Amino acid sequence: MLNCGDSAVNLSGAAPIFSALGDPVRLAIVARLCKDGPLPTIELKQCADGVSRQGVTKHLQVLEEVGLVESDRTGRDRQWRLQAQQLVAVRDYLGWISAQWDQRLELLRAFVEDDA
Amino acid sequence: MLNCGDSAVNLSGAAPIFSALGDPVRLAIVARLCKDGPLPTIELKQCADGVSRQGVTKHLQVLEEVGLVESDRTGRDRQWRLQAQQLVAVRDYLGWISAQWDQRLELLRAFVEDDA
DNA sequence: TTCATGAGCAACCTCCTAGTTGCTCGTTTT
DNA sequence: AAAACGAGCAACTAGGAGGTTGCTCATGAA
């Protein structure tokens, strides 16, 4: 478990979320929900160009499985909203991982300067 | 194109990178390269538990295609190193996208407080 | 009440992906 | 020189992912 600040993200937990974000349609859906807040399925269908309603539903289910979105049905249609914690967690994971990289670069720089 | 600061990341460009990071083996490889710097294939094979050398090579090629790593051959073995720009770009993309979310929350909060 | 709309479920198809094995080639090492 | 090691290439396989169609159901609007 890699503890980085208040959001503890382990590697095996992050991969499925990246995988979920790895499809252009799903990424567009997440981006849309970030921008415009809770939306019904039909509205999110516009994110997927030429994909059927069932196709979009499948994508939404994938996002739901990894906890990136949640939904409840209000009457006839289903409202989808973002679960920001997961997004923040994976963002922080990338931040943490690239911080390690920066640290390595810094060490290398210091080493070279010492040597010179 | 979604311009966020100095790294301009568009949505369709980010998806393949997320996809590449979406496999646990590949994510482990990237994390390893972040931590320990350039490494030969054989060393990175340890990141993939029980996967053959060719399997690992395939993963590395996927990472190379999306520009997350690059390599060159030194004598008998091939050295792999991280290309941090892509990692930083996708990190910033997530930062930008979740900032939009925060902004929406803030607007909502302000609206509720005004209404009360 | 009737009809249109949004959604759920199940079956199906196709293609890509992760993984394998087998072989060859060049480079170290002994 | 011979053996061992890292790597590249090609063919193949199993399974999952993305997508579809067809049908049914409930709800909201005419």
Side-chain angles (χ1 to χ4, degrees):
Chain A
M1 177 80 83
L2 313 170
N3 201 333
C4 35
D6 47 333
S7 67
V9 186
N10 63 349
L11 193 140
S12 52
I17 303 182
F18 281 124
S19 180
L21 292 175
D23 182 279
V25 170
R26 289 195 292 265
L27 190 52
I29 288 175
V30 169
R32 181 80 203 285
L33 284 176
C34 269
K35 194 153 41 98
D36 300 330
L39 292 169
T41 311
I42 285 291
E43 193 71 20
L44 292 170
K45 188 175 171 300
Q46 298 177 348
C47 298
D49 200 37
V51 177
S52 67
R53 181 183 57 83
Q54 285 83 349
V56 174
T57 298
K58 278 196 179 180
H59 281 301
L60 285 165
Q61 283 168 350
V62 171
L63 290 173
E64 193 171 33
E65 271 168 21
V66 300
L68 275 169
V69 302
E70 57 184 3
S71 69
D72 52 331
R73 218 173 149 165
T74 57
R76 188 169 47 175
D77 49 356
R78 179 172 290 277
Q79 287 281 114
W80 297 90
R81 74 190 99 79
L82 197 74
Q83 277 204 289
Q85 316 104 44
Q86 291 292 68
L87 207 61
V88 167
V90 80
R91 183 196 60 184
D92 289 352
Y93 179 73
L94 273 186
W96 177 80
I97 215 177
S98 60
Q100 278 199 308
W101 172 261
D102 292 339
Q103 189 178 338
R104 272 204 64 259
L105 280 190
E106 182 58 27
L107 284 174
L108 187 61
R109 194 192 56 78
F111 175 76
V112 169
E113 285 187 357
D114 266 19
D115 213 42
Chain B
M1 177 80 84
L2 314 171
N3 200 332
C4 36
D6 47 332
S7 67
V9 187
N10 63 352
L11 193 141
S12 52
I17 303 181
F18 281 124
S19 180
L21 293 174
D23 182 279
V25 170
R26 288 196 292 265
L27 190 52
I29 288 174
V30 169
R32 181 81 202 285
L33 285 177
C34 268
K35 195 156 36 106
D36 301 331
L39 292 169
T41 312
I42 284 291
E43 192 72 20
L44 291 170
K45 187 175 171 301
Q46 297 176 349
C47 298
D49 198 37
V51 177
S52 68
R53 180 184 57 81
Q54 287 82 349
V56 175
T57 298
K58 279 196 177 182
H59 281 301
L60 286 166
Q61 282 168 350
V62 170
L63 289 173
E64 193 171 35
E65 272 168 22
V66 300
L68 274 169
V69 301
E70 55 184 4
S71 70
D72 51 332
R73 217 173 150 165
T74 56
R76 188 170 47 176
D77 49 358
R78 179 172 289 277
Q79 287 279 115
W80 297 90
R81 75 190 98 80
L82 197 73
Q83 277 203 290
Q85 316 102 42
Q86 290 292 67
L87 208 61
V88 167
V90 79
R91 183 197 59 184
D92 290 351
Y93 178 74
L94 273 187
W96 177 78
I97 214 177
S98 61
Q100 279 198 308
W101 172 260
D102 292 339
Q103 190 180 337
R104 271 204 66 258
L105 281 189
E106 182 59 26
L107 283 175
L108 187 62
R109 194 193 56 77
F111 175 75
V112 168
E113 285 185 358
D114 266 19
D115 213 44

